[in-house]
Coordinates of all heavy atoms in Angstrom, one line a residue:
M1475 N -4.1 -13.1 -3.4 CA -4.0 -11.8 -2.8 C -4.0 -12.1 -1.3 O -4.9 -12.6 -0.7 CB -5.1 -10.9 -3.2 CG -5.0 -9.5 -2.6 SD -6.3 -8.3 -3.0 CE -6.4 -8.5 -4.7
L1476 N -3.0 -11.5 -0.6 CA -2.9 -11.6 0.9 C -4.0 -10.7 1.5 O -4.1 -9.5 1.1 CB -1.6 -11.2 1.4 CG -1.4 -11.2 2.9 CD1 -1.4 -12.7 3.4 CD2 0.0 -10.6 3.2
I1477 N -4.8 -11.2 2.4 CA -5.8 -10.4 3.1 C -5.4 -10.2 4.5 O -5.3 -11.1 5.4 CB -7.2 -11.1 3.0 CG1 -7.6 -11.5 1.5 CG2 -8.2 -10.3 3.7 CD1 -7.7 -10.2 0.6
K1478 N -5.1 -9.0 4.7 CA -4.6 -8.5 6.2 C -4.8 -7.1 6.2 O -4.2 -6.3 5.5 CB -3.2 -8.9 6.3 CG -2.6 -8.7 7.7 CD -1.3 -9.3 7.7 CE -0.7 -9.1 9.2 NZ 0.6 -9.7 9.3
F1479 N -5.7 -6.7 7.2 CA -5.8 -5.3 7.5 C -4.8 -4.7 8.5 O -4.6 -5.4 9.5 CB -7.3 -4.9 8.0 CG -7.4 -3.5 8.4 CD1 -7.3 -2.5 7.4 CD2 -7.5 -3.2 9.8 CE1 -7.5 -1.2 7.8 CE2 -7.6 -1.8 10.1 CZ -7.5 -0.9 9.1
L1480 N -4.3 -3.6 8.2 CA -3.2 -3.0 9.1 C -3.5 -1.6 9.4 O -3.5 -0.8 8.4 CB -1.8 -3.2 8.5 CG -1.4 -4.6 8.1 CD1 -0.2 -4.6 7.2 CD2 -1.2 -5.4 9.4
N1481 N -3.8 -1.3 10.6 CA -3.8 0.1 11.0 C -2.6 0.2 11.9 O -2.7 -0.1 13.1 CB -5.2 0.5 11.7 CG -5.3 1.9 11.9 OD1 -4.4 2.7 11.7 ND2 -6.4 2.2 12.5
M1482 N -1.4 0.6 11.5 CA -0.3 0.4 12.2 C 0.6 1.6 12.5 O 0.3 2.7 12.0 CB 0.6 -0.6 11.3 CG 1.1 0.1 10.0 SD 2.2 -1.0 9.1 CE 0.9 -2.2 8.7
D1483 N 1.5 1.4 13.4 CA 2.5 2.4 13.7 C 3.8 2.2 12.9 O 3.8 1.2 12.1 CB 2.8 2.3 15.2 CG 3.4 0.9 15.7 OD1 4.0 0.3 14.8 OD2 3.2 0.5 16.8
I1484 N 4.7 3.1 13.0 CA 5.8 3.0 12.1 C 6.7 1.7 12.3 O 7.3 1.1 11.4 CB 6.7 4.3 12.3 CG1 7.8 4.3 11.2 CG2 7.5 4.3 13.7 CD1 7.2 4.6 9.9
Q1485 N 6.8 1.2 13.5 CA 7.5 0.0 13.9 C 6.9 -1.2 13.1 O 7.6 -2.1 12.6 CB 7.6 -0.3 15.4 CG 8.7 0.4 16.2 CD 10.1 0.1 15.5 OE1 10.6 0.9 14.8 NE2 10.6 -1.1 15.8
S1486 N 5.6 -1.3 13.2 CA 5.0 -2.4 12.4 C 5.2 -2.3 10.9 O 5.5 -3.3 10.2 CB 3.5 -2.4 12.7 OG 3.1 -2.5 14.0
L1487 N 5.2 -1.1 10.4 CA 5.3 -0.9 9.0 C 6.9 -1.2 8.7 O 7.2 -1.9 7.6 CB 5.1 0.6 8.6 CG 5.4 0.9 7.1 CD1 4.4 0.0 6.3 CD2 4.9 2.3 6.9
Y1488 N 7.8 -1.0 9.5 CA 9.1 -1.2 9.3 C 9.4 -2.8 9.3 O 10.1 -3.3 8.5 CB 10.0 -0.7 10.4 CG 11.5 -1.0 10.3 CD1 12.2 -0.6 9.1 CD2 12.2 -1.7 11.2 CE1 13.6 -0.9 8.9 CE2 13.5 -2.0 11.1 CZ 14.2 -1.6 9.9 OH 15.5 -2.0 9.8
Q1489 N 8.7 -3.5 10.2 CA 8.8 -5.0 10.1 C 8.3 -5.6 8.7 O 8.9 -6.5 8.2 CB 8.0 -5.6 11.3 CG 8.5 -5.3 12.7 CD 10.0 -5.7 12.7 OE1 10.4 -6.7 12.4 NE2 10.8 -4.8 13.3
I1490 N 7.3 -5.0 8.2 CA 6.8 -5.4 6.9 C 7.8 -5.0 5.8 O 8.1 -5.8 5.0 CB 5.4 -4.8 6.6 CG1 4.4 -5.5 7.5 CG2 5.0 -5.0 5.1 CD1 3.0 -4.8 7.4
Y1491 N 8.4 -3.9 5.9 CA 9.3 -3.4 5.0 C 10.6 -4.4 4.9 O 11.1 -4.7 3.9 CB 9.8 -2.0 5.3 CG 11.0 -1.6 4.5 CD1 11.0 -1.3 3.1 CD2 12.3 -1.5 5.1 CE1 12.1 -1.0 2.5 CE2 13.4 -1.2 4.4 CZ 13.3 -0.9 3.1 OH 14.5 -0.6 2.4
K1492 N 10.9 -4.9 6.0 CA 12.1 -5.8 6.1 C 11.8 -7.1 5.4 O 12.7 -7.6 4.8 CB 12.5 -6.1 7.6 CG 13.1 -5.0 8.3 CD 13.8 -5.1 9.6 CE 13.2 -6.1 10.5 NZ 13.8 -6.1 11.9
Q1493 N 10.5 -7.5 5.4 CA 10.1 -8.7 4.5 C 10.0 -8.4 3.1 O 10.2 -9.2 2.2 CB 8.8 -9.2 5.1 CG 8.9 -9.9 6.4 CD 7.6 -10.4 6.8 OE1 6.7 -9.7 7.0 NE2 7.4 -11.7 6.9
Y1494 N 9.5 -7.1 2.8 CA 9.1 -6.8 1.4 C 9.7 -5.4 1.1 O 9.1 -4.4 1.2 CB 7.6 -6.7 1.2 CG 6.9 -7.9 1.5 CD1 6.3 -8.2 2.8 CD2 7.0 -9.1 0.7 CE1 5.7 -9.3 3.2 CE2 6.4 -10.2 1.1 CZ 5.7 -10.4 2.3 OH 5.1 -11.6 2.7
P1495 N 11.1 -5.3 0.9 CA 11.8 -4.0 0.8 C 11.6 -3.3 -0.5 O 12.1 -2.2 -0.6 CB 13.3 -4.5 1.0 CG 13.3 -5.8 0.5 CD 12.0 -6.4 0.9
N1496 N 10.8 -3.8 -1.4 CA 10.6 -3.1 -2.7 C 9.4 -2.1 -2.5 O 8.3 -2.6 -2.3 CB 10.3 -4.2 -3.8 CG 10.3 -3.4 -5.2 OD1 10.6 -2.2 -5.3 ND2 10.0 -4.2 -6.2
I1497 N 9.6 -0.8 -2.6 CA 8.7 0.2 -2.5 C 8.4 0.9 -3.8 O 9.4 1.2 -4.5 CB 9.0 1.1 -1.4 CG1 9.0 0.5 0.0 CG2 8.1 2.4 -1.3 CD1 9.5 1.3 1.1
T1498 N 7.2 1.3 -4.0 CA 6.8 2.1 -5.2 C 5.7 3.1 -4.9 O 4.9 2.8 -4.0 CB 6.5 1.2 -6.4 OG1 6.4 2.0 -7.6 CG2 5.2 0.5 -6.2
T1499 N 5.6 4.1 -5.7 CA 4.5 5.2 -5.5 C 3.8 5.3 -6.9 O 3.0 6.1 -7.0 CB 5.1 6.5 -5.2 OG1 6.1 6.9 -6.1 CG2 5.7 6.5 -3.7
D1500 N 4.2 4.3 -7.9 CA 3.6 4.4 -9.2 C 3.2 3.1 -9.6 O 3.9 2.1 -9.7 CB 4.7 4.9 -10.2 CG 4.3 5.1 -11.6 OD1 3.3 4.6 -12.0 OD2 5.0 5.8 -12.3
T1501 N 1.9 2.9 -9.8 CA 1.3 1.7 -10.1 C 1.8 1.0 -11.4 O 1.8 -0.2 -11.6 CB -0.3 1.7 -10.2 OG1 -0.7 2.7 -11.1 CG2 -0.9 2.0 -8.8
R1502 N 2.3 1.9 -12.3 CA 2.8 1.4 -13.6 C 4.2 0.7 -13.3 O 4.6 -0.1 -14.3 CB 3.0 2.5 -14.6 CG 1.8 3.2 -14.9 CD 2.0 4.5 -15.7 NE 2.6 5.4 -14.7 CZ 2.8 6.7 -15.1 NH1 2.6 7.2 -16.2 NH2 3.4 7.5 -14.1
K1503 N 4.8 0.8 -12.2 CA 6.1 0.2 -11.9 C 6.0 -0.8 -10.7 O 7.1 -1.2 -10.2 CB 7.1 1.3 -11.6 CG 7.3 2.3 -12.7 CD 8.3 3.4 -12.3 CE 8.5 4.4 -13.5 NZ 9.3 5.4 -13.2
I1504 N 4.9 -1.3 -10.4 CA 4.8 -2.3 -9.3 C 5.3 -3.5 -9.7 O 5.1 -4.1 -10.7 CB 3.3 -2.4 -8.9 CG1 2.8 -1.1 -8.2 CG2 3.1 -3.6 -8.0 CD1 1.3 -1.1 -7.8
E1505 N 6.1 -4.1 -8.8 CA 6.6 -5.5 -8.9 C 5.9 -6.3 -7.9 O 5.4 -5.8 -6.8 CB 8.2 -5.4 -8.6 CG 8.9 -4.6 -9.6 CD 10.5 -4.6 -9.4 OE1 10.9 -5.5 -8.6 OE2 11.1 -3.7 -10.0
K1506 N 5.9 -7.6 -8.2 CA 5.3 -8.6 -7.2 C 5.8 -8.4 -5.8 O 7.0 -8.3 -5.6 CB 5.4 -9.9 -7.7 CG 4.6 -11.0 -6.9 CD 4.8 -12.3 -7.6 CE 4.2 -13.5 -6.8 NZ 3.6 -13.4 -5.6
D1507 N 4.9 -8.4 -4.8 CA 5.2 -8.4 -3.5 C 5.9 -7.1 -2.9 O 6.6 -7.0 -2.0 CB 6.1 -9.5 -3.0 CG 5.3 -10.8 -3.1 OD1 4.1 -10.8 -3.0 OD2 6.0 -11.9 -3.2
S1508 N 5.6 -5.9 -3.7 CA 6.1 -4.7 -3.2 C 5.1 -4.0 -2.3 O 4.0 -4.4 -2.1 CB 6.4 -3.7 -4.5 OG 5.1 -3.7 -5.2
I1509 N 5.6 -2.9 -1.8 CA 4.7 -2.0 -0.9 C 4.4 -0.8 -1.8 O 5.4 -0.1 -2.2 CB 5.4 -1.6 0.4 CG1 5.7 -2.9 1.2 CG2 4.5 -0.7 1.2 CD1 6.6 -2.6 2.4
F1510 N 3.1 -0.4 -1.9 CA 2.7 0.8 -2.7 C 2.3 1.9 -1.7 O 1.5 1.7 -0.8 CB 1.5 0.5 -3.6 CG 0.9 1.6 -4.2 CD1 1.6 2.2 -5.3 CD2 -0.4 2.2 -3.9 CE1 1.0 3.4 -6.0 CE2 -0.9 3.3 -4.5 CZ -0.2 3.9 -5.5
F1511 N 3.0 3.0 -1.7 CA 2.6 4.1 -1.0 C 1.8 5.1 -1.8 O 2.3 5.6 -2.8 CB 3.9 4.9 -0.4 CG 4.5 4.3 0.8 CD1 5.3 3.1 0.6 CD2 4.1 4.7 2.1 CE1 5.9 2.5 1.8 CE2 4.7 4.1 3.2 CZ 5.5 3.0 3.1
A1512 N 0.6 5.4 -1.4 CA -0.2 6.3 -2.2 C 0.1 7.8 -1.8 O -0.1 8.1 -0.7 CB -1.8 6.0 -1.8
L1513 N 0.6 8.5 -2.8 CA 0.9 9.8 -2.7 C -0.2 10.7 -3.3 O -0.9 10.4 -4.1 CB 2.2 10.2 -3.3 CG 3.4 9.4 -2.9 CD1 4.7 9.9 -3.6 CD2 3.6 9.6 -1.3
K1514 N -0.4 11.9 -2.7 CA -1.3 12.9 -3.3 C -0.6 14.2 -3.9 O 0.4 14.6 -3.3 CB -2.4 13.4 -2.2 CG -3.3 12.3 -1.9 CD -4.4 12.8 -1.0 CE -4.0 12.9 0.4 NZ -5.1 13.2 1.4
G1515 N -1.1 14.6 -4.9 CA -0.6 15.9 -5.5 C -1.8 16.8 -5.9 O -2.9 16.4 -5.7
A1516 N -1.4 17.8 -6.6 CA -2.4 18.8 -7.0 C -3.4 18.2 -8.0 O -4.6 18.6 -8.0 CB -1.8 20.1 -7.5
N1517 N -2.8 17.3 -8.9 CA -3.7 16.8 -10.0 C -4.0 15.3 -9.8 O -4.6 14.7 -10.7 CB -3.0 17.0 -11.3 CG -2.8 18.6 -11.5 OD1 -3.8 19.3 -11.4 ND2 -1.6 18.9 -11.9
F1518 N -3.7 14.6 -8.7 CA -3.9 13.2 -8.6 C -4.0 12.8 -7.1 O -3.7 13.6 -6.3 CB -2.7 12.4 -9.3 CG -1.4 12.6 -8.6 CD1 -1.1 11.7 -7.5 CD2 -0.6 13.6 -8.9 CE1 0.2 11.9 -6.9 CE2 0.6 13.7 -8.2 CZ 1.0 12.9 -7.2
N1519 N -4.6 11.7 -6.9 CA -4.7 11.1 -5.5 C -4.3 9.7 -5.7 O -5.1 8.8 -6.1 CB -6.1 11.4 -5.0 CG -6.3 10.8 -3.5 OD1 -5.4 10.2 -3.1 ND2 -7.4 11.3 -3.0
G1520 N -3.2 9.3 -5.2 CA -2.7 7.9 -5.2 C -3.6 7.0 -4.5 O -3.6 5.8 -4.7
N1521 N -4.4 7.4 -3.5 CA -5.3 6.6 -2.8 C -6.2 5.9 -3.8 O -6.7 4.8 -3.4 CB -6.0 7.4 -1.7 CG -5.2 7.9 -0.6 OD1 -4.6 7.2 0.2 ND2 -5.0 9.2 -0.6
T1522 N -6.7 6.6 -4.8 CA -7.6 6.0 -5.7 C -7.0 4.8 -6.4 O -7.9 4.0 -7.1 CB -8.0 7.0 -6.7 OG1 -7.0 7.4 -7.6 CG2 -8.7 8.2 -6.1
F1523 N -5.7 4.6 -6.4 CA -5.1 3.5 -7.1 C -4.8 2.2 -6.2 O -4.1 1.3 -6.5 CB -3.7 3.9 -7.7 CG -4.0 5.0 -8.8 CD1 -3.8 6.3 -8.6 CD2 -4.5 4.6 -10.1 CE1 -4.0 7.3 -9.6 CE2 -4.6 5.5 -11.2 CZ -4.4 6.8 -10.8
A1524 N -5.2 2.3 -4.9 CA -4.8 1.4 -4.0 C -5.3 -0.1 -4.5 O -4.5 -1.0 -4.3 CB -5.5 1.6 -2.6
E1525 N -6.5 -0.2 -4.7 CA -7.1 -1.5 -5.2 C -6.3 -2.1 -6.4 O -6.1 -3.2 -6.5 CB -8.6 -1.4 -5.4 CG -9.2 -2.7 -5.5 CD -10.8 -2.6 -5.5 OE1 -11.3 -1.5 -5.6 OE2 -11.4 -3.7 -5.4
Q1526 N -6.1 -1.1 -7.4 CA -5.5 -1.5 -8.6 C -4.0 -2.1 -8.3 O -3.5 -3.0 -8.8 CB -5.3 -0.4 -9.5 CG -4.6 -0.7 -10.8 CD -4.4 0.6 -11.7 OE1 -4.7 1.7 -11.4 NE2 -3.8 0.4 -12.8
A1527 N -3.3 -1.4 -7.3 CA -2.0 -1.8 -6.9 C -2.0 -3.2 -6.4 O -1.1 -4.0 -6.7 CB -1.4 -0.8 -5.9
L1528 N -3.0 -3.5 -5.6 CA -3.1 -4.9 -5.1 C -3.3 -5.9 -6.2 O -2.7 -7.0 -6.2 CB -4.1 -5.0 -4.0 CG -3.8 -4.2 -2.8 CD1 -5.1 -4.1 -1.9 CD2 -2.7 -4.9 -2.0
E1529 N -4.2 -5.5 -7.1 CA -4.5 -6.4 -8.2 C -3.3 -6.7 -9.1 O -3.2 -7.8 -9.6 CB -5.6 -5.9 -9.1 CG -7.0 -5.9 -8.4 CD -8.0 -5.0 -9.1 OE1 -7.7 -4.4 -10.1 OE2 -9.2 -5.0 -8.5
I1530 N -2.5 -5.7 -9.2 CA -1.1 -5.8 -10.1 C -0.2 -6.6 -9.4 O 0.6 -7.3 -10.1 CB -0.6 -4.4 -10.4 CG1 -1.6 -3.6 -11.3 CG2 0.7 -4.5 -11.0 CD1 -1.3 -2.2 -11.5
G1531 N -0.2 -6.7 -8.1 CA 0.9 -7.5 -7.4 C 1.5 -7.0 -6.1 O 2.3 -7.6 -5.5
A1532 N 1.1 -5.8 -5.7 CA 1.6 -5.2 -4.5 C 1.2 -6.1 -3.3 O 0.0 -6.6 -3.3 CB 1.2 -3.7 -4.3
R1533 N 2.0 -6.3 -2.4 CA 1.6 -7.1 -1.2 C 0.9 -6.2 -0.2 O -0.1 -6.7 0.4 CB 2.9 -7.7 -0.6 CG 2.8 -8.4 0.7 CD 2.0 -9.7 0.5 NE 2.6 -10.6 -0.3 CZ 2.7 -11.9 -0.2 NH1 2.1 -12.4 0.9 NH2 3.2 -12.7 -1.1
Y1534 N 1.3 -5.0 0.0 CA 0.6 -4.1 0.9 C 0.5 -2.8 0.2 O 1.2 -2.3 -0.7 CB 1.5 -3.9 2.2 CG 1.6 -5.1 3.0 CD1 2.7 -6.0 2.9 CD2 0.6 -5.3 4.0 CE1 2.7 -7.1 3.7 CE2 0.6 -6.5 4.8 CZ 1.7 -7.4 4.6 OH 1.7 -8.5 5.4
V1535 N -0.5 -2.0 0.6 CA -0.7 -0.6 0.2 C -0.9 0.2 1.4 O -1.6 -0.1 2.3 CB -2.1 -0.6 -0.7 CG1 -2.4 0.8 -1.0 CG2 -1.9 -1.4 -1.9
V1536 N -0.3 1.4 1.4 CA -0.4 2.3 2.5 C -1.1 3.6 1.9 O -0.6 4.2 1.0 CB 1.0 2.7 3.1 CG1 0.9 3.8 4.2 CG2 1.8 1.5 3.5
I1537 N -2.2 3.9 2.6 CA -3.0 5.1 2.1 C -3.3 6.0 3.3 O -3.0 5.6 4.5 CB -4.4 4.6 1.5 CG1 -5.2 3.9 2.5 CG2 -4.2 3.7 0.3 CD1 -6.7 3.5 2.1
D1538 N -3.8 7.2 3.1 CA -4.2 8.0 4.2 C -5.6 8.5 4.2 O -6.0 9.5 4.9 CB -3.2 9.2 4.2 CG -3.4 10.2 3.0 OD1 -4.2 9.8 2.1 OD2 -2.8 11.3 3.1
E1539 N -6.4 7.8 3.4 CA -7.9 8.1 3.4 C -8.6 6.9 3.5 O -8.6 6.0 2.7 CB -8.3 8.9 2.2 CG -7.7 10.2 1.9 CD -8.0 11.0 0.7 OE1 -9.2 10.8 0.3 OE2 -7.1 11.5 0.1
E1540 N -9.3 6.7 4.6 CA -10.1 5.5 4.9 C -11.1 5.1 3.9 O -11.4 3.9 3.7 CB -10.7 5.6 6.4 CG -11.3 4.3 6.7 CD -11.9 4.2 8.2 OE1 -11.9 5.4 8.7 OE2 -12.3 3.2 8.6
I1541 N -11.7 6.1 3.2 CA -12.7 5.8 2.2 C -12.2 4.9 1.1 O -13.0 4.2 0.5 CB -13.2 7.2 1.6 CG1 -14.4 6.9 0.8 CG2 -12.1 7.9 0.8 CD1 -15.2 8.2 0.4
Y1542 N -10.9 4.8 0.9 CA -10.3 4.0 -0.2 C -9.9 2.7 0.5 O -9.4 1.8 -0.4 CB -9.1 4.6 -0.8 CG -9.5 6.0 -1.5 CD1 -9.3 7.1 -1.0 CD2 -10.2 5.9 -2.7 CE1 -9.7 8.3 -1.7 CE2 -10.6 7.0 -3.4 CZ -10.4 8.2 -2.9 OH -10.8 9.3 -3.5
K1543 N -10.2 2.3 1.6 CA -9.9 1.0 2.3 C -10.9 0.0 1.8 O -11.8 -0.3 2.6 CB -9.8 1.2 3.7 CG -9.4 -0.1 4.4 CD -9.4 0.0 5.9 CE -10.5 -0.6 6.6 NZ -11.3 -1.5 6.6
K1544 N -10.7 -0.5 0.6 CA -11.7 -1.5 0.1 C -11.1 -3.0 0.3 O -12.0 -3.9 0.4 CB -11.8 -1.3 -1.4 CG -12.5 0.1 -1.7 CD -12.6 0.3 -3.2 CE -13.2 1.7 -3.3 NZ -13.2 2.0 -4.8
G1545 N -9.9 -3.1 0.4 CA -9.4 -4.5 0.8 C -8.9 -4.5 2.1 O -8.7 -3.5 2.9
N1546 N -8.7 -5.7 2.7 CA -8.3 -5.9 4.1 C -6.8 -5.8 4.2 O -6.3 -5.8 5.3 CB -8.7 -7.2 4.6 CG -10.3 -7.2 4.9 OD1 -10.8 -6.1 5.1 ND2 -10.9 -8.3 4.9
N1547 N -6.0 -5.7 3.1 CA -4.6 -5.6 3.2 C -4.0 -4.2 2.9 O -3.0 -4.0 2.4 CB -3.9 -6.6 2.3 CG -4.4 -6.6 0.9 OD1 -5.5 -6.1 0.6 ND2 -3.7 -7.2 0.0
I1548 N -4.9 -3.2 3.2 CA -4.6 -1.8 3.0 C -4.4 -1.2 4.3 O -5.2 -1.3 5.2 CB -5.6 -1.1 2.2 CG1 -5.7 -1.7 0.8 CG2 -5.4 0.4 2.0 CD1 -6.9 -1.1 0.0
S1549 N -3.1 -0.5 4.5 CA -2.9 0.2 5.7 C -3.2 1.6 5.6 O -2.9 2.2 4.6 CB -1.5 0.0 6.1 OG -1.1 0.8 7.2
W1550 N -3.9 2.2 6.6 CA -4.2 3.6 6.5 C -3.8 4.3 7.8 O -3.6 3.7 8.8 CB -5.7 3.9 6.1 CG -6.6 3.3 7.0 CD1 -7.1 2.0 7.1 CD2 -7.3 3.9 8.1 NE1 -8.0 1.8 8.1 CE2 -8.0 3.0 8.8 CE3 -7.2 5.2 8.6 CZ2 -8.8 3.3 9.9 CZ3 -8.0 5.5 9.7 CH2 -8.8 4.6 10.3

């Protein structure tokens, strides 16, 4: 697992996207080296799946709640 903490702006995120253009919002569909964006809805909070997404094979995870920043390769 790549260990890298990113608290970034949109340009930095775009540079990562150019290296890893596969994006998902569903941990059941994660492919190796993808970027997982944690979405929130009325009945779920994708932030809670950040660590699982990395374990499954996501290269980076983008969350919006610092409390879920358990790994160093999670951007918030």
Side-chain angles (χ1 to χ4, degrees):
M1475 181 182 315
L1476 177 67
I1477 302 298
K1478 185 174 184 182
F1479 173 69
L1480 303 166
N1481 188 356
M1482 68 179 64
D1483 59 32
I1484 194 70
Q1485 273 305 103
S1486 299
L1487 183 57
Y1488 179 62
Q1489 294 305 313
I1490 290 172
Y1491 168 74
K1492 290 192 321 187
Q1493 288 182 294
Y1494 306 101
N1496 190 7
I1497 292 177
T1498 187
T1499 59
D1500 186 338
T1501 54
R1502 298 168 294 183
K1503 298 179 182 178
I1504 288 179
E1505 295 179 19
K1506 184 176 177 0
D1507 293 335
S1508 60
I1509 300 171
F1510 173 75
F1511 279 84
L1513 302 179
K1514 289 190 279 189
N1517 299 313
F1518 65 91
N1519 183 347
N1521 291 293
T1522 64
F1523 296 100
E1525 192 170 12
Q1526 178 185 5
L1528 293 169
E1529 291 170 0
I1530 293 171
R1533 177 63 64 137
Y1534 292 95
V1535 175
V1536 179
I1537 62 174
D1538 68 349
E1539 294 182 37
E1540 187 176 5
I1541 190 169
Y1542 295 104
K1543 186 182 98 45
K1544 295 180 181 170
N1546 287 336
N1547 51 340
I1548 298 176
S1549 173
W1550 60 276

